[in-house]
Amino acid sequence: MCVALFAARPAFALDCALDRVELRGDFGALSFQIEIADDASERAQGLMNRDSLARGAGMLFLYQTPQRVAFWMENTLIPLDMIFVDAAGVITRIHENAVPLDRTPIAGGDSVRAVLEINAGLSQRYGFAVGDELHHPAFGPTAAWPCT
């Protein structure tokens, strides 16, 4: 596991990498060092039982096909922002400040291909919004912001 010890940093002419996701929108562009959760057991574990998450780090939950998803915070000790993303890598919903240890389902929508979890408050601090785009190899060549 590689966890960055730096804050999210500007993304300038970065090539796609499996351990990094870039976001772009009216705020400009930012990069987060990520862990991938792309199978059922990794997605079930997520960020549970961790005491902290570096500011420039996150976890990207990937699904083989777009689907309806819901998350909860059971056994998750860190308040998080959840960024729900469609198959093109476009943000469709942002749930800010998910409450640690809460079992209330957080619905992401019907066509979710990925969910990016980052520290709570960063979505608002950086100005992320529905319609912003993610840059990662998981979204393939037809992504709104494809890898080259």
Side-chain angles (χ1 to χ4, degrees), residues 79-140:
L80 297 170
D81 287 351
M82 297 176 187
I83 300 170
F84 297 89
V85 183
D86 68 14
V90 176
I91 296 174
T92 57
R93 181 170 189 275
I94 299 172
H95 181 90
E96 295 179 350
N97 300 304
V99 177
L101 305 174
D102 188 359
R103 295 185 68 181
T104 305
I106 299 166
D110 293 332
S111 296
V112 176
R113 170 70 169 83
V115 181
L116 176 62
E117 289 185 341
I118 58 175
N119 282 299
L122 293 182
S123 293
Q124 183 176 22
R125 173 174 287 159
Y126 295 129
F128 299 158
V130 169
D132 291 348
E133 300 167 343
L134 274 67
H135 187 61
H136 188 272
F139 300 111

Side-chain angles (χ1 to χ4, degrees), residues 36-61:
I36 299 287
D38 63 357
D39 67 36
S41 65
E42 291 172 341
R43 288 189 298 264
Q45 178 65 36
L47 293 171
M48 290 192 312
N49 301 311
R50 297 192 191 187
D51 294 331
S52 64
L53 179 65
R55 183 172 175 183
M59 181 171 279
L60 186 64
F61 295 76

